Amino acid sequence: MQTKDSTAVVLRFFEALHILIDTKQIRGKQTFTRLYEINRWNLNTLEKEPTRDIFQPAWLTYLVRDFGCSADWLLTGRGIAFPSLVDKK
């Protein structure tokens, strides 16, 4: 069982993933899982049950490094998820 703070990070991870999909930076969850060799069924299970202990911290790295997601936002919830998207508007 994860802590409340860990679960919040997982929920922000999925929020960021859905932002990438909504802004058409990736086509869908399968694109993300294929890019990073993540078991798609584990990802789907985790989205339905965010308290499961199957989250991999490296997944946060991919969002930060490759898509410009704010590490501060992912870990703490402070700030904006994708500052680069705000600059484009």
Coordinates of all heavy atoms in Angstrom, one line a residue:
M1 N 0.8 -1.2 0.0 CA 0.0 0.0 0.0 C 0.9 1.2 0.0 O 1.8 1.3 0.7 CB -0.9 0.0 1.2 CG -1.8 1.2 1.4 SD -3.1 1.4 0.3 CE -4.2 0.1 0.6
Q2 N 0.6 2.2 -0.9 CA 1.3 3.4 -1.0 C 0.8 4.4 0.0 O -0.3 4.4 0.5 CB 1.2 4.0 -2.4 CG 1.9 3.2 -3.4 CD 2.0 3.9 -4.7 OE1 1.6 5.1 -4.8 NE2 2.5 3.3 -5.7
T3 N 1.6 5.4 0.3 CA 1.2 6.5 1.2 C 0.3 7.5 0.4 O 0.3 7.4 -0.9 CB 2.4 7.3 1.7 OG1 3.0 8.0 0.6 CG2 3.4 6.4 2.4
K4 N -0.3 8.4 1.1 CA -1.2 9.4 0.4 C -0.4 10.2 -0.5 O -0.8 10.5 -1.6 CB -1.8 10.2 1.6 CG -2.7 11.3 1.1 CD -3.3 12.0 2.3 CE -3.5 13.5 2.0 NZ -3.9 14.3 3.1
D5 N 0.8 10.6 -0.1 CA 1.7 11.4 -1.0 C 2.1 10.7 -2.3 O 2.2 11.2 -3.3 CB 2.9 11.9 -0.2 CG 2.6 13.0 0.8 OD1 1.6 13.7 0.7 OD2 3.4 13.1 1.8
S6 N 2.4 9.4 -2.1 CA 2.8 8.6 -3.3 C 1.7 8.5 -4.2 O 1.8 8.6 -5.5 CB 3.3 7.2 -2.8 OG 4.4 7.3 -2.0
T7 N 0.5 8.2 -3.7 CA -0.7 8.1 -4.6 C -0.9 9.4 -5.3 O -1.3 9.4 -6.5 CB -1.9 7.7 -3.7 OG1 -1.7 6.5 -3.1 CG2 -3.2 7.6 -4.6
A8 N -0.7 10.6 -4.7 CA -0.9 11.9 -5.3 C 0.1 12.0 -6.5 O -0.3 12.6 -7.5 CB -0.7 13.0 -4.3
V9 N 1.3 11.5 -6.4 CA 2.3 11.6 -7.5 C 1.8 10.7 -8.6 O 1.8 11.2 -9.8 CB 3.7 11.1 -7.0 CG1 4.6 11.0 -8.2 CG2 4.2 12.1 -6.0
V10 N 1.3 9.6 -8.3 CA 0.7 8.7 -9.4 C -0.4 9.4 -10.1 O -0.5 9.3 -11.3 CB 0.3 7.3 -8.8 CG1 -0.5 6.5 -9.8 CG2 1.5 6.6 -8.2
L11 N -1.3 10.0 -9.4 CA -2.4 10.7 -10.0 C -2.0 11.8 -10.9 O -2.5 12.0 -11.9 CB -3.4 11.2 -8.9 CG -4.2 10.1 -8.1 CD1 -5.0 10.6 -7.0 CD2 -5.0 9.2 -9.1
R12 N -1.0 12.6 -10.4 CA -0.4 13.6 -11.3 C 0.3 13.1 -12.5 O 0.2 13.7 -13.6 CB 0.5 14.5 -10.5 CG -0.2 15.5 -9.5 CD 0.7 16.5 -8.9 NE 1.7 16.0 -8.0 CZ 1.4 15.8 -6.7 NH1 0.3 16.1 -6.2 NH2 2.4 15.3 -5.9
F13 N 0.9 11.9 -12.4 CA 1.5 11.3 -13.5 C 0.4 11.0 -14.6 O 0.6 11.4 -15.8 CB 2.2 10.0 -13.1 CG 2.5 9.1 -14.3 CD1 3.7 9.3 -15.0 CD2 1.7 8.1 -14.7 CE1 4.0 8.5 -16.1 CE2 2.0 7.3 -15.8 CZ 3.1 7.5 -16.5
F14 N -0.7 10.5 -14.2 CA -1.8 10.2 -15.2 C -2.4 11.5 -15.7 O -2.8 11.5 -16.9 CB -2.8 9.2 -14.6 CG -2.3 7.8 -14.6 CD1 -1.9 7.2 -13.4 CD2 -2.2 7.1 -15.8 CE1 -1.4 5.9 -13.4 CE2 -1.7 5.8 -15.8 CZ -1.3 5.2 -14.6
E15 N -2.5 12.5 -14.8 CA -3.0 13.8 -15.3 C -2.1 14.3 -16.4 O -2.6 14.8 -17.5 CB -3.1 14.8 -14.2 CG -3.7 16.1 -14.5 CD -3.8 17.0 -13.4 OE1 -3.8 16.6 -12.2 OE2 -4.0 18.2 -13.6
A16 N -0.8 14.2 -16.2 CA 0.2 14.7 -17.2 C 0.1 13.9 -18.5 O 0.1 14.4 -19.6 CB 1.6 14.6 -16.6
L17 N -0.1 12.6 -18.3 CA -0.2 11.7 -19.5 C -1.4 12.1 -20.3 O -1.4 12.2 -21.6 CB -0.3 10.3 -19.0 CG 0.1 9.2 -20.0 CD1 1.4 9.4 -20.6 CD2 0.0 7.8 -19.3
H18 N -2.5 12.4 -19.6 CA -3.8 12.8 -20.4 C -3.6 14.2 -21.0 O -4.2 14.4 -22.1 CB -5.0 12.7 -19.4 CG -5.4 11.3 -19.2 ND1 -6.1 10.5 -20.1 CD2 -5.1 10.5 -18.1 CE1 -6.2 9.3 -19.6 NE2 -5.7 9.3 -18.4
I19 N -2.8 15.0 -20.4 CA -2.6 16.4 -21.0 C -1.8 16.1 -22.3 O -2.1 16.8 -23.3 CB -1.8 17.3 -20.1 CG1 -2.7 17.7 -18.9 CG2 -1.3 18.5 -20.8 CD1 -2.0 18.4 -17.8
L20 N -0.8 15.3 -22.3 CA -0.1 15.0 -23.5 C -1.0 14.4 -24.6 O -0.8 14.7 -25.8 CB 1.1 14.0 -23.2 CG 2.2 14.5 -22.4 CD1 3.2 13.4 -22.1 CD2 2.9 15.7 -23.0
I21 N -1.9 13.6 -24.2 CA -2.8 13.0 -25.2 C -3.8 14.1 -25.7 O -4.0 14.2 -26.9 CB -3.6 11.8 -24.6 CG1 -2.7 10.7 -24.3 CG2 -4.8 11.4 -25.5 CD1 -3.2 9.6 -23.3
D22 N -4.3 14.9 -24.8 CA -5.3 15.9 -25.2 C -4.6 17.0 -26.1 O -5.3 17.6 -27.0 CB -5.9 16.6 -24.0 CG -6.8 15.7 -23.2 OD1 -7.2 14.6 -23.7 OD2 -7.1 16.0 -22.0
T23 N -3.3 17.3 -25.9 CA -2.6 18.3 -26.7 C -2.0 17.6 -27.9 O -1.2 18.3 -28.6 CB -1.6 19.0 -25.9 OG1 -0.7 18.1 -25.3 CG2 -2.3 19.8 -24.8
K24 N -2.2 16.3 -28.1 CA -1.8 15.6 -29.3 C -0.2 15.5 -29.4 O 0.3 15.4 -30.4 CB -2.4 16.1 -30.6 CG -3.9 16.1 -30.6 CD -4.5 16.3 -31.9 CE -6.0 16.4 -31.9 NZ -6.7 15.6 -31.0
Q25 N 0.4 15.5 -28.2 CA 1.9 15.3 -28.2 C 2.2 13.8 -28.3 O 3.3 13.4 -28.7 CB 2.5 15.9 -27.0 CG 2.4 17.5 -27.0 CD 3.1 18.1 -25.9 OE1 4.3 17.8 -25.6 NE2 2.5 18.9 -25.1
I26 N 1.2 13.0 -27.8 CA 1.3 11.6 -28.0 C -0.1 11.1 -28.4 O -1.1 11.8 -28.1 CB 1.8 10.8 -26.8 CG1 0.9 10.9 -25.6 CG2 3.3 11.1 -26.5 CD1 1.3 10.0 -24.4
R27 N -0.2 10.0 -29.1 CA -1.5 9.6 -29.6 C -2.3 9.0 -28.5 O -3.6 9.2 -28.4 CB -1.3 8.5 -30.7 CG -2.6 8.2 -31.4 CD -2.3 7.4 -32.6 NE -3.6 7.0 -33.2 CZ -3.7 5.9 -34.0 NH1 -2.6 5.2 -34.3 NH2 -4.9 5.6 -34.4
G28 N -1.7 8.2 -27.6 CA -2.4 7.6 -26.5 C -1.5 6.9 -25.5 O -0.2 6.9 -25.7
K29 N -2.0 6.2 -24.5 CA -1.2 5.5 -23.5 C -0.4 4.4 -24.2 O 0.8 4.2 -23.8 CB -2.1 4.9 -22.5 CG -2.7 5.9 -21.5 CD -3.4 5.2 -20.4 CE -4.7 4.6 -20.9 NZ -5.6 4.0 -19.9
Q30 N -0.9 3.8 -25.2 CA -0.1 2.8 -25.9 C 1.2 3.3 -26.5 O 2.2 2.7 -26.5 CB -0.9 2.0 -26.9 CG -0.2 0.9 -27.5 CD -1.0 0.0 -28.4 OE1 -2.2 0.3 -28.6 NE2 -0.4 -1.0 -29.1
T31 N 1.1 4.5 -27.0 CA 2.3 5.2 -27.6 C 3.3 5.4 -26.5 O 4.5 5.1 -26.7 CB 1.9 6.6 -28.2 OG1 0.9 6.4 -29.2 CG2 3.1 7.3 -28.8
F32 N 2.9 5.9 -25.3 CA 3.8 6.1 -24.2 C 4.4 4.7 -23.8 O 5.7 4.7 -23.6 CB 3.1 6.7 -23.1 CG 4.0 7.2 -21.9 CD1 4.7 8.4 -22.0 CD2 4.1 6.4 -20.8 CE1 5.5 8.8 -21.0 CE2 4.9 6.8 -19.8 CZ 5.6 8.0 -19.9
T33 N 3.6 3.7 -23.6 CA 4.2 2.4 -23.2 C 5.1 1.8 -24.2 O 6.1 1.2 -23.8 CB 3.0 1.5 -22.8 OG1 2.2 1.2 -23.9 CG2 2.2 2.0 -21.6
R34 N 4.8 2.0 -25.4 CA 5.7 1.4 -26.5 C 7.0 2.2 -26.5 O 8.1 1.5 -26.6 CB 5.0 1.5 -27.8 CG 5.7 0.7 -28.9 CD 5.0 0.6 -30.2 NE 3.5 0.8 -30.2 CZ 2.9 1.8 -30.7 NH1 3.5 2.8 -31.3 NH2 1.6 1.9 -30.7
L35 N 7.0 3.5 -26.4 CA 8.2 4.3 -26.4 C 9.2 3.9 -25.3 O 10.4 3.9 -25.5 CB 7.9 5.8 -26.2 CG 7.5 6.6 -27.4 CD1 7.0 8.0 -27.0 CD2 8.7 6.7 -28.4
Y36 N 8.6 3.6 -24.2 CA 9.5 3.3 -23.0 C 9.5 1.9 -22.5 O 9.9 1.6 -21.4 CB 9.1 4.3 -21.9 CG 9.3 5.7 -22.4 CD1 8.1 6.5 -22.6 CD2 10.5 6.3 -22.6 CE1 8.3 7.8 -23.1 CE2 10.7 7.6 -23.1 CZ 9.5 8.3 -23.3 OH 9.7 9.6 -23.8
E37 N 8.9 1.0 -23.3 CA 8.9 -0.4 -23.0 C 8.3 -0.7 -21.6 O 8.8 -1.4 -20.8 CB 10.3 -1.0 -23.1 CG 10.8 -0.9 -24.5 CD 12.2 -1.5 -24.6 OE1 12.8 -2.0 -23.6 OE2 12.7 -1.5 -25.8
I38 N 7.1 -0.1 -21.4 CA 6.3 -0.2 -20.2 C 5.2 -1.2 -20.5 O 4.6 -1.2 -21.5 CB 5.7 1.1 -19.7 CG1 6.9 2.1 -19.4 CG2 4.8 0.9 -18.5 CD1 6.4 3.5 -19.3
N39 N 5.0 -2.1 -19.5 CA 3.9 -3.1 -19.7 C 2.6 -2.3 -19.6 O 2.2 -1.7 -18.6 CB 3.9 -4.1 -18.5 CG 2.8 -5.1 -18.6 OD1 1.6 -4.8 -18.7 ND2 3.2 -6.4 -18.6
R40 N 1.8 -2.3 -20.7 CA 0.6 -1.5 -20.9 C -0.4 -1.9 -19.9 O -1.2 -1.1 -19.3 CB 0.1 -1.6 -22.3 CG -1.1 -0.6 -22.5 CD -1.4 -0.5 -24.0 NE -1.3 -1.7 -24.8 CZ -2.3 -2.3 -25.3 NH1 -3.6 -1.9 -25.2 NH2 -2.2 -3.4 -26.0
W41 N -0.5 -3.2 -19.6 CA -1.6 -3.7 -18.7 C -1.3 -3.2 -17.3 O -2.2 -2.9 -16.5 CB -1.7 -5.2 -18.8 CG -2.1 -5.6 -20.2 CD1 -1.3 -6.3 -21.1 CD2 -3.2 -5.2 -20.9 NE1 -1.9 -6.4 -22.3 CE2 -3.1 -5.7 -22.2 CE3 -4.4 -4.5 -20.6 CZ2 -4.1 -5.5 -23.2 CZ3 -5.3 -4.3 -21.5 CH2 -5.2 -4.8 -22.8
N42 N 0.0 -3.2 -16.9 CA 0.4 -2.6 -15.6 C 0.0 -1.1 -15.5 O -0.5 -0.7 -14.5 CB 1.9 -2.8 -15.3 CG 2.3 -4.2 -14.9 OD1 1.4 -5.0 -14.7 ND2 3.5 -4.4 -14.9
L43 N 0.2 -0.4 -16.6 CA -0.1 1.0 -16.6 C -1.7 1.2 -16.4 O -2.1 2.0 -15.6 CB 0.4 1.7 -17.8 CG 0.3 3.2 -17.8 CD1 1.4 3.8 -17.0 CD2 0.4 3.7 -19.3
N44 N -2.4 0.4 -17.2 CA -3.9 0.5 -17.1 C -4.4 0.1 -15.7 O -5.3 0.7 -15.2 CB -4.5 -0.4 -18.2 CG -4.4 0.1 -19.5 OD1 -4.2 1.3 -19.7 ND2 -4.4 -0.7 -20.5
T45 N -3.8 -1.0 -15.1 CA -4.1 -1.4 -13.8 C -3.9 -0.3 -12.8 O -4.7 0.0 -11.9 CB -3.4 -2.7 -13.4 OG1 -3.8 -3.7 -14.3 CG2 -3.7 -3.1 -11.9
L46 N -2.7 0.3 -12.9 CA -2.3 1.4 -12.0 C -3.3 2.6 -12.1 O -3.6 3.2 -11.1 CB -0.9 1.8 -12.2 CG -0.3 2.9 -11.3 CD1 -0.3 2.4 -9.8 CD2 1.1 3.3 -11.7
E47 N -3.7 2.9 -13.3 CA -4.6 4.0 -13.5 C -5.9 3.8 -12.8 O -6.5 4.7 -12.2 CB -4.9 4.3 -15.0 CG -5.7 5.6 -15.2 CD -5.7 6.0 -16.6 OE1 -5.5 5.1 -17.5 OE2 -6.0 7.2 -16.9
K48 N -6.4 2.5 -12.8 CA -7.6 2.2 -12.1 C -7.5 2.0 -10.6 O -8.4 2.3 -9.9 CB -8.2 0.8 -12.7 CG -8.7 0.9 -14.1 CD -9.1 -0.4 -14.6 CE -9.4 -0.3 -16.1 NZ -9.5 -1.7 -16.7
E49 N -6.2 1.6 -10.2 CA -6.0 1.4 -8.8 C -4.6 2.1 -8.4 O -3.6 1.5 -8.3 CB -5.8 -0.1 -8.5 CG -7.0 -0.9 -8.8 CD -6.8 -2.4 -8.7 OE1 -6.3 -2.8 -7.6 OE2 -7.1 -3.2 -9.6
P50 N -4.7 3.4 -8.3 CA -3.4 4.2 -8.1 C -2.7 3.9 -6.8 O -1.6 4.3 -6.6 CB -3.9 5.7 -8.1 CG -5.4 5.6 -7.9 CD -5.9 4.3 -8.3
T51 N -3.3 3.1 -5.9 CA -2.6 2.8 -4.6 C -1.7 1.5 -4.8 O -1.0 1.1 -3.9 CB -3.6 2.6 -3.5 OG1 -4.5 1.6 -3.8 CG2 -4.3 3.9 -3.2
R52 N -1.8 0.9 -6.0 CA -1.0 -0.4 -6.2 C 0.5 0.0 -6.2 O 0.9 1.1 -6.7 CB -1.4 -1.0 -7.5 CG -2.8 -1.6 -7.6 CD -2.9 -2.9 -7.0 NE -2.1 -3.9 -7.6 CZ -2.5 -4.8 -8.6 NH1 -3.7 -4.7 -9.1 NH2 -1.7 -5.6 -9.1
D53 N 1.3 -0.9 -5.8 CA 2.8 -0.7 -5.7 C 3.5 -1.1 -7.0 O 4.4 -1.9 -7.0 CB 3.4 -1.4 -4.5 CG 3.1 -0.6 -3.2 OD1 3.1 0.6 -3.3 OD2 3.0 -1.3 -2.2
I54 N 3.0 -0.7 -8.2 CA 3.6 -1.0 -9.4 C 4.2 0.2 -10.2 O 4.7 0.0 -11.3 CB 2.7 -1.9 -10.3 CG1 1.3 -1.1 -10.6 CG2 2.4 -3.3 -9.7 CD1 0.4 -1.9 -11.5
F55 N 4.1 1.3 -9.6 CA 4.6 2.5 -10.2 C 6.1 2.5 -10.3 O 6.7 2.2 -9.3 CB 4.1 3.8 -9.5 CG 4.4 5.1 -10.1 CD1 3.8 5.5 -11.3 CD2 5.5 5.8 -9.6 CE1 4.2 6.7 -11.9 CE2 5.8 7.0 -10.3 CZ 5.2 7.4 -11.4
Q56 N 6.7 2.9 -11.4 CA 8.1 3.0 -11.6 C 8.5 4.5 -11.6 O 8.1 5.2 -12.5 CB 8.5 2.3 -12.9 CG 8.2 0.8 -12.9 CD 9.0 0.1 -11.8 OE1 10.2 0.3 -11.7 NE2 8.2 -0.7 -11.0
P57 N 9.4 5.0 -10.7 CA 9.8 6.4 -10.7 C 10.4 6.8 -12.0 O 10.3 8.0 -12.4 CB 10.8 6.4 -9.6 CG 10.5 5.3 -8.7 CD 9.9 4.2 -9.6
A58 N 11.0 5.9 -12.8 CA 11.6 6.3 -14.1 C 10.5 6.9 -15.0 O 10.8 7.7 -15.9 CB 12.2 5.1 -14.8
W59 N 9.3 6.5 -14.8 CA 8.2 7.0 -15.7 C 8.1 8.5 -15.6 O 7.8 9.2 -16.5 CB 6.9 6.4 -15.4 CG 6.8 4.9 -15.5 CD1 7.8 4.1 -16.1 CD2 5.8 4.0 -15.1 NE1 7.4 2.8 -16.1 CE2 6.1 2.7 -15.5 CE3 4.6 4.2 -14.5 CZ2 5.3 1.6 -15.2 CZ3 3.8 3.1 -14.2 CH2 4.1 1.8 -14.6
L60 N 8.4 9.1 -14.4 CA 8.4 10.5 -14.2 C 9.5 11.2 -15.0 O 9.3 12.2 -15.6 CB 8.6 10.9 -12.7 CG 7.5 10.3 -11.7 CD1 7.9 10.7 -10.3 CD2 6.1 10.9 -12.1
T61 N 10.6 10.5 -15.0 CA 11.8 11.0 -15.8 C 11.4 11.2 -17.3 O 11.8 12.2 -17.9 CB 13.0 10.0 -15.7 OG1 13.3 9.8 -14.3 CG2 14.2 10.5 -16.4
Y62 N 10.7 10.3 -17.9 CA 10.3 10.4 -19.3 C 9.5 11.6 -19.5 O 9.6 12.3 -20.5 CB 9.6 9.1 -19.7 CG 10.3 7.8 -19.4 CD1 9.5 6.7 -19.0 CD2 11.7 7.7 -19.5 CE1 10.2 5.5 -18.7 CE2 12.3 6.5 -19.2 CZ 11.6 5.4 -18.8 OH 12.2 4.2 -18.5
L63 N 8.5 11.9 -18.6 CA 7.7 13.1 -18.7 C 8.5 14.3 -18.6 O 8.3 15.3 -19.4 CB 6.6 13.1 -17.7 CG 5.5 12.0 -17.8 CD1 4.5 12.1 -16.6 CD2 4.8 12.1 -19.1
V64 N 9.4 14.4 -17.7 CA 10.2 15.6 -17.5 C 11.2 15.8 -18.7 O 11.3 16.8 -19.3 CB 11.0 15.5 -16.2 CG1 12.0 16.7 -16.0 CG2 10.0 15.5 -15.0
R65 N 12.0 14.7 -18.9 CA 13.1 14.8 -19.9 C 12.6 15.0 -21.4 O 13.1 15.8 -22.1 CB 13.9 13.5 -19.8 CG 15.1 13.5 -20.8 CD 15.8 12.1 -20.8 NE 14.8 11.2 -21.3 CZ 14.9 9.9 -21.1 NH1 15.8 9.4 -20.3 NH2 14.1 9.0 -21.6
D66 N 11.5 14.2 -21.7 CA 11.1 14.2 -23.1 C 9.9 15.0 -23.5 O 9.7 15.3 -24.7 CB 10.9 12.7 -23.5 CG 12.1 11.8 -23.4 OD1 13.2 12.4 -23.4 OD2 11.9 10.6 -23.2
F67 N 9.2 15.5 -22.5 CA 8.0 16.2 -22.8 C 7.9 17.6 -22.1 O 6.9 18.3 -22.2 CB 6.7 15.4 -22.5 CG 6.6 14.1 -23.3 CD1 7.0 12.9 -22.8 CD2 6.2 14.2 -24.6 CE1 6.9 11.8 -23.6 CE2 6.1 13.1 -25.4 CZ 6.5 11.9 -24.9
G68 N 8.9 17.9 -21.2 CA 8.9 19.2 -20.6 C 8.0 19.3 -19.4 O 7.6 20.4 -19.0
C69 N 7.5 18.2 -18.8 CA 6.7 18.3 -17.7 C 7.5 18.8 -16.5 O 8.7 18.5 -16.3 CB 6.1 16.9 -17.3 SG 4.8 16.9 -16.1
S70 N 6.9 19.6 -15.7 CA 7.6 20.2 -14.5 C 7.8 19.1 -13.4 O 6.8 18.5 -12.9 CB 6.7 21.3 -13.9 OG 7.1 21.6 -12.6
A71 N 9.0 18.9 -13.1 CA 9.3 17.9 -12.0 C 8.8 18.4 -10.7 O 8.3 17.6 -9.9 CB 10.8 17.7 -11.9
D72 N 8.8 19.7 -10.4 CA 8.3 20.2 -9.2 C 6.8 19.9 -9.1 O 6.2 19.5 -8.1 CB 8.5 21.7 -9.1 CG 8.2 22.3 -7.8 OD1 8.4 21.6 -6.7 OD2 7.7 23.4 -7.7
W73 N 6.1 20.1 -10.2 CA 4.6 19.8 -10.2 C 4.3 18.4 -10.0 O 3.5 18.0 -9.3 CB 4.0 20.3 -11.5 CG 2.5 20.0 -11.6 CD1 1.5 20.7 -11.1 CD2 1.9 18.9 -12.3 NE1 0.3 20.1 -11.3 CE2 0.6 19.0 -12.0 CE3 2.4 17.8 -13.0 CZ2 -0.3 18.0 -12.5 CZ3 1.6 16.9 -13.5 CH2 0.2 17.0 -13.2
L74 N 5.1 17.5 -10.7 CA 4.9 16.1 -10.6 C 5.1 15.6 -9.2 O 4.3 14.8 -8.7 CB 5.8 15.3 -11.5 CG 5.5 15.1 -12.9 CD1 6.6 14.6 -13.7 CD2 4.2 14.3 -13.1
L75 N 6.1 16.1 -8.5 CA 6.4 15.6 -7.1 C 5.6 16.3 -6.0 O 5.3 15.7 -5.0 CB 7.9 15.8 -6.9 CG 8.8 14.9 -7.8 CD1 10.3 15.2 -7.5 CD2 8.5 13.4 -7.6
T76 N 5.3 17.6 -6.2 CA 4.7 18.3 -5.1 C 3.3 18.9 -5.5 O 2.5 19.3 -4.6 CB 5.5 19.5 -4.7 OG1 5.6 20.5 -5.8 CG2 6.9 19.1 -4.4
G77 N 3.0 19.0 -6.7 CA 1.7 19.6 -7.1 C 1.8 21.1 -7.2 O 0.8 21.8 -7.6
R78 N 2.9 21.7 -7.0 CA 3.1 23.1 -7.1 C 3.4 23.6 -8.5 O 4.2 22.9 -9.2 CB 4.3 23.6 -6.2 CG 4.0 23.5 -4.7 CD 5.1 24.1 -3.9 NE 6.4 23.6 -4.3 CZ 7.3 23.1 -3.5 NH1 7.0 23.0 -2.2 NH2 8.5 22.7 -3.9
G79 N 2.8 24.7 -8.9 CA 3.1 25.2 -10.2 C 2.2 24.6 -11.3 O 1.1 24.2 -11.1
I80 N 2.8 24.6 -12.5 CA 2.1 24.2 -13.7 C 2.7 22.9 -14.3 O 3.9 22.8 -14.3 CB 2.2 25.4 -14.8 CG1 1.6 26.7 -14.2 CG2 1.5 25.0 -16.1 CD1 1.9 27.9 -15.1
A81 N 1.8 22.1 -14.7 CA 2.3 20.8 -15.2 C 3.2 20.9 -16.4 O 4.3 20.3 -16.5 CB 1.1 19.9 -15.6
F82 N 2.8 21.7 -17.4 CA 3.6 21.9 -18.6 C 3.8 23.4 -18.9 O 3.1 24.0 -19.7 CB 3.0 21.2 -19.8 CG 3.0 19.7 -19.8 CD1 1.9 19.0 -19.2 CD2 4.1 19.0 -20.2 CE1 2.0 17.6 -19.1 CE2 4.1 17.6 -20.2 CZ 3.1 16.9 -19.6
P83 N 4.8 24.0 -18.3 CA 5.1 25.4 -18.5 C 5.2 25.8 -20.0 O 4.8 26.9 -20.4 CB 6.4 25.7 -17.8 CG 6.4 24.6 -16.7 CD 5.8 23.4 -17.4
S84 N 5.8 24.9 -20.8 CA 6.0 25.2 -22.2 C 4.7 25.3 -23.0 O 4.6 26.0 -23.9 CB 6.8 24.1 -22.9 OG 6.2 22.8 -22.8
L85 N 3.6 24.7 -22.5 CA 2.3 24.8 -23.2 C 1.7 26.1 -22.9 O 1.0 26.7 -23.7 CB 1.4 23.7 -22.7 CG 1.7 22.3 -23.2 CD1 0.7 21.3 -22.6 CD2 1.8 22.2 -24.7
V86 N 2.0 26.7 -21.7 CA 1.4 28.0 -21.4 C 2.1 29.1 -22.2 O 1.5 30.0 -22.7 CB 1.6 28.3 -19.9 CG1 1.2 29.7 -19.5 CG2 0.9 27.3 -19.0
D87 N 3.4 28.9 -22.5 CA 4.2 29.9 -23.2 C 3.7 29.9 -24.7 O 3.8 31.0 -25.3 CB 5.7 29.5 -23.2 CG 6.3 29.7 -21.8 OD1 5.7 30.4 -21.0 OD2 7.4 29.1 -21.6
K88 N 3.2 28.8 -25.2 CA 2.8 28.8 -26.6 C 1.4 29.5 -26.8 O 1.1 29.7 -28.0 CB 2.7 27.3 -27.1 CG 4.0 26.6 -27.2 CD 3.9 25.2 -27.7 CE 5.2 24.6 -27.8 NZ 5.1 23.2 -28.2
K89 N 0.7 29.7 -25.8 CA -0.7 30.3 -26.0 C -0.6 31.8 -26.1 O 0.2 32.5 -25.9 CB -1.6 29.9 -24.7 CG -1.9 28.5 -24.8 CD -2.8 28.1 -23.6 CE -3.2 26.6 -23.7 NZ -4.0 26.2 -22.6

